Amino acid sequence: MGSINSIRKLIRLWALCGGFILIGIILMTAYSATLNLLLNAPVAGDFEIVEMGVAIAVFCFLPFCQLERANVSVDIFTMKAGPKTVALMSILASTIAVIFASLLLWRMSLGMADYREYEEYTAILSIPIWMAFPPILFSLFLLILASLITTAESFQTLSRLKVDGKLKKPELT
Amino acid sequence: MDSSFIIGLAGIAVLIILIAIRVPIAYSMLVVGIGGVTILSGPAVILSQLKDLAYAQFSIYDLSVVPMFVLMGSLATFAGLSRDIFQAANAWLGRFRGGVAMSTVIACAGFGSVCGSSLATASTMGKVALPELKRLKYSPALATGTVAAGGTLGILIPPSIVLVIYAIIVEANIATMFMAALVPGLLAVMLFVLTISIYVLIVPDAGPPAEKTGFTETKKATLAVFPVLCIFGIVIGGIYIGAFNPTPAAAIGAFLIGLYGAIRKKISWNNFIEALLETAKTSGMIYLILIGAETLKIFMSRGRVPMEAAELMISSGLSPYMIMVLLLVALIILGCFMDSLSMIILAIPFFWPVISELNFGMPEDSVKIWFGIISLIVVELGLITPPVGLNVFVIKSLSDDVPISETFKGVMPFFLMELVRVALIILFPAIVLALPKFLSG
């Protein structure tokens, strides 16, 4: 259990890293826009840093988003479903997340290989695009872990319900 | 009708089922999008797209305003913006009959515009305004109805995240959309204030006046919101006069709100960390839906679904306005079940191709802006539509002693007023189009 808690902490910390990247981009962009307004001389290639930085930051957010179950879903049609059904639906949703995260990790690592092979650079600052990928791939790896954790949580809920099932009537949630 | 179109339609059915059984909207779209393209064209196509699709989507420059505005919104929330606006408006209006409800509307609009989520606005403003309305013995219907309906107002008022997403989907200019949204947004505030004055004219006991606020108190409350108003002026005004693009404007806004909160000691280090984590959750959620929408788009355009649907609609012999009203009704109904952002991302890729083919006697670019504003209003309307309006349920959770039927009763006048607003904008597109035209010369 201890290791799962440290993974949770890592995921939260990783999201905060993304948050600080976002702050860095905000400060740089605000500075550049002010320079542009006053001296007509923005930071060269500022938009390239924005594009790459925001992409990295948002990938950092995804595992935390999954862990906190912040992805919006519609529960209005299943409001009267029993807790068992809800747990089963939650297992389905988390399993889909595991599969998607693994698929994307696999494909995007190939994507990074492509960018390295064809040596694509951003137009002004000549930053190699593949450099954005290592943190992104790590984010996807954490997304797999986060989805596994949410899957396990739902299985736990389900098994708890099976134990108490005979005692308790399904309650409306 | 060929087989790929039928597979496309089947895909939509599966999508609806997945969403209905609580699979997050983003993942439902991904499953159907990736699965659908695989069925239509084999796995190779989508597998090669997935190498770069997510990065390409996440690094769209215009989208970067989204996490920045989200952060600005959470920082503003922690800085106590909702209470500040409410108190300032109250200092001026509270003394009149129905005045505290009017202040609630104004605070909802102001806070909602930064907050970007109707449900969060209703819940935040509910906590701020409901106790005060209750203390003054406002009728429960008017009190809860005002907050539920008021919560929907801010979404349209710039800086609006949903509007940014709409602009990106239909390839409209974000700055132009922001200009177009201002007048309809302020119109709604005026109409809601008008609704309350009519309400208390008919039922005077529903909104008793509050005690007068003294001059020094009024001055203090007004000065408290002044810096934030200035920050808004810089962000929105800067976009309007073309001083900066939306992304730098969002960056400056987030920076200034953070600075203000830190100087006034309203945002502690813990608040700041909380705001970052909130931003992570909200932005992650939005971006994941966007990749889902992208895979769904690849599937749907391979199945030619939007095009076929558009042709079907256009050859149906209905007038352009009839078709538009039909689509809007569909949006209201769907809006009852989903939050507005997911709705816009899901529905606009299907609806826009239909609308863009119709002749409304104005250029396509104008139709794009006009339809965007109307659909955003209508999607929000779903949130207060009986019997499922999500905003009403948020209010219910805040005020257990008021039966939900009372809140729906209180919401009804506002609901009707919203229909008036939609009708006005459909009849007089200038309400939307005049300001962009004026500002862009």
Side-chain angles (χ1 to χ4, degrees):
Chain A
M1 269 331 190
S3 60
I4 289 190
N5 272 335
S6 38
I7 295 172
R8 282 176 193 278
K9 276 195 190 123
L10 176 63
I11 288 172
R12 185 171 175 275
L13 202 67
W14 191 244
L16 277 178
C17 288
F20 282 106
I21 294 175
L22 182 64
I23 300 278
I25 294 164
I26 284 174
L27 293 178
M28 188 276 299
T29 309
Y31 173 69
S32 174
T34 316
L35 281 188
N36 188 30
L37 209 59
L38 299 179
L39 310 168
N40 211 0
V43 175
D46 56 351
F47 64 93
E48 291 179 353
I49 303 173
V50 171
E51 288 174 352
M52 206 175 239
V54 169
I56 294 173
V58 175
F59 271 104
C60 295
F61 296 160
L62 293 181
F64 184 65
C65 199
Q66 173 67 30
L67 194 66
E68 297 278 308
R69 299 175 187 261
N71 290 310
V72 280
S73 58
V74 174
D75 52 8
I76 206 145
F77 298 107
T78 45
M79 289 224 281
K80 295 210 164 85
K84 216 184 217 172
T85 323
V86 172
L88 284 173
M89 290 189 293
S90 166
I91 290 172
L92 173 69
S94 295
T95 313
I96 292 175
V98 175
I99 297 170
F100 169 72
S102 317
L103 180 68
L104 205 59
L105 177 58
W106 169 43
R107 296 319 295 176
M108 285 189 76
S109 39
L110 295 177
M112 173 167 124
D114 281 359
Y115 275 122
R116 289 195 77 157
E117 195 178 343
Y118 301 110
E119 293 186 22
E120 263 187 68
Y121 299 97
T122 62
I124 292 174
L125 299 173
S126 310
I127 310 169
I129 291 181
W130 72 262
M131 282 178 60
F133 276 62
I136 292 175
L137 297 181
F138 184 66
S139 299
L140 290 173
F141 172 67
L142 287 182
L143 181 59
I144 300 178
L145 294 184
S147 325
L148 285 173
I149 292 177
T150 55
T151 315
E153 282 171 350
S154 306
F155 267 113
Q156 247 170 17
T157 318
L158 189 68
S159 60
R160 252 207 315 275
L161 285 168
K162 273 187 180 151
V163 174
D164 315 339
K166 280 172 192 147
L167 300 170
K168 264 195 229 158
K169 276 187 181 174
E171 49 199 82
L172 295 183
T173 45
Chain B
M1 267 188 245
D2 56 341
S3 64
S4 55
F5 178 62
I6 295 181
I7 294 173
L9 288 185
I12 296 179
V14 175
L15 180 71
I16 294 172
I17 294 170
L18 285 174
I19 291 176
I21 58 167
R22 295 198 193 186
V23 174
I25 295 170
Y27 286 122
S28 305
M29 288 166 138
L30 284 164
V31 168
V32 173
I34 295 173
V37 180
T38 310
I39 292 171
L40 281 183
S41 328
V45 177
I46 193 73
L47 282 181
S48 97
Q49 300 238 29
L50 280 178
K51 282 187 193 174
D52 194 45
L53 181 133
Y55 181 73
Q57 194 70 11
F58 282 20
S59 59
I60 292 173
Y61 181 73
D62 277 345
L63 264 183
S64 60
V65 302
V66 172
M68 293 182 189
F69 275 143
V70 171
L71 179 63
M72 175 172 149
S74 357
L75 288 173
T77 311
F78 280 111
L81 180 65
S82 51
R83 188 169 297 275
D84 284 352
I85 307 181
F86 180 64
Q87 275 168 355
N90 232 352
W92 293 92
L93 295 172
R95 67 196 72 176
F96 302 108
R97 207 163 268 285
V100 183
M102 294 172 189
S103 310
T104 308
V105 165
I106 292 170
C108 277
F111 178 70
S113 71
V114 235
C115 166
S117 148
S118 302
L119 301 176
T121 305
S123 128
T124 311
M125 281 312 304
K127 281 175 212 142
V128 174
L130 283 177
E132 180 70 5
L133 291 162
K134 200 172 169 185
R135 184 180 71 83
L136 292 165
K137 302 210 163 45
Y138 267 62
S139 85
L142 179 61
T144 53
T146 304
V147 183
T152 65
L153 287 184
I155 301 313
L156 191 62
I157 301 172
S160 157
I161 291 166
V162 188
L163 214 51
V164 170
I165 303 282
Y166 174 85
I168 290 171
I169 295 175
V170 302
E171 292 168 0
N173 184 306
I174 296 174
T176 316
M177 288 307 302
F178 275 9
M179 295 171 195
L182 189 67
V183 178
L186 296 180
L187 178 69
V189 177
M190 280 175 356
L191 289 177
F192 273 23
V193 168
L194 181 71
T195 312
I196 296 168
S197 10
I198 299 173
Y199 198 114
V200 292
L201 214 61
I202 302 171
V203 197
D205 291 342
E211 54 281 350
K212 265 191 185 161
T213 315
F215 176 74
T216 34
E217 279 297 301
T218 309
K219 194 173 137 193
K220 203 178 139 206
T222 312
L223 282 180
V225 283
F226 190 68
V228 180
L229 284 182
C230 286
I231 295 174
F232 267 78
I234 293 171
V235 173
I236 303 303
I239 295 176
Y240 282 178
I241 61 167
F244 17 75
N245 289 326
T247 300
I252 291 173
F255 170 68
L256 289 178
I257 292 272
L259 191 68
Y260 163 77
I263 291 176
R264 296 288 296 272
K265 296 211 168 38
K266 286 183 164 183
I267 302 177
S268 65
W269 175 252
N270 282 343
N271 290 158
F272 178 66
I273 295 294
E274 277 302 306
L276 283 184
L277 290 175
E278 275 305 311
T279 308
K281 280 198 264 183
T282 310
S283 325
M285 181 265 286
I286 297 175
Y287 273 71
L288 198 64
I289 296 180
L290 287 169
I291 333 181
E294 201 55 30
T295 60
L296 194 64
K297 194 170 109 191
I298 300 172
F299 171 38
M300 287 298 150
S301 58
R302 280 177 176 259
R304 292 188 39 83
V305 176
M307 300 77 131
E308 298 265 359
E311 275 167 36
L312 212 70
M313 279 284 208
I314 290 155
S315 60
S316 65
L318 292 169
S319 78
Y321 284 95
M322 285 286 285
I323 295 179
M324 179 145 123
V325 170
L326 274 181
L327 294 183
L328 293 179
V329 171
L331 277 181
I332 296 190
I333 296 171
L334 290 168
C336 296
F337 307 112
M338 263 183 227
D339 68 295
S340 40
L341 188 82
S342 320
M343 258 326 303
I344 291 290
I345 298 177
L346 205 56
I348 295 302
F350 293 97
F351 287 9
W352 172 243
V354 178
I355 293 291
S356 67
E357 293 293 321
L358 300 173
N359 181 11
F360 291 99
M362 56 177 119
E364 190 182 308
D365 272 342
S366 305
V367 177
K368 207 179 253 181
I369 301 168
W370 181 55
F371 180 68
I373 301 295
I374 299 174
S375 33
L376 229 68
I377 298 174
V378 159
V379 164
E380 286 296 308
L381 210 48
L383 292 175
I384 51 170
T385 306
V388 278
L390 292 173
N391 258 14
V392 176
F393 283 89
V394 169
I395 299 304
K396 170 74 192 160
S397 67
L398 292 177
S399 54
D400 265 335
D401 48 331
V402 182
I404 205 139
S405 54
E406 276 298 293
T407 306
F408 272 122
K409 221 194 285 173
V411 154
M412 263 351 264
F414 297 104
F415 186 87
L416 295 176
M417 208 40 121
E418 281 293 78
L419 292 182
V420 170
R421 174 162 73 132
V422 172
L424 280 175
I425 295 175
I426 292 180
L427 292 174
F428 307 105
I431 298 173
V432 171
L433 299 172
L435 191 65
K437 200 170 169 191
F438 173 75
L439 284 170
S440 334

